[in-house]
Amino acid sequence: GADVKTVARILVNKLYMDEDSIIYMKNGDVLYDGELYRSVKRFQRLNDMHDDGIIGPMLIKALRKRK
């Protein structure tokens, strides 16, 4: 939903993934696929977070604060 789209946009802005890697569904939501999952885990790992790939409030807060 909206959280996945927000996370994808921030990861692209922070150069953790390429915008061309984002897959949009017909309803405009972003598909939480392998590339996005790997980018989330990479961000978590590089920012000393538990790299579980879960999109939640802590991840979004960290993405908004960190490089």
Side-chain angles (χ1 to χ4, degrees), residues 31-55:
L31 181 65
Y32 190 46
D33 70 340
E35 182 62 32
L36 182 51
Y37 177 75
R38 285 187 295 276
S39 297
V40 167
K41 287 183 59 106
R42 185 177 321 120
F43 174 85
Q44 290 172 323
R45 194 170 41 256
L46 293 173
N47 286 278
D48 299 320
M49 300 175 71
H50 180 63
D51 64 338
D52 55 10
I54 294 174
I55 293 178

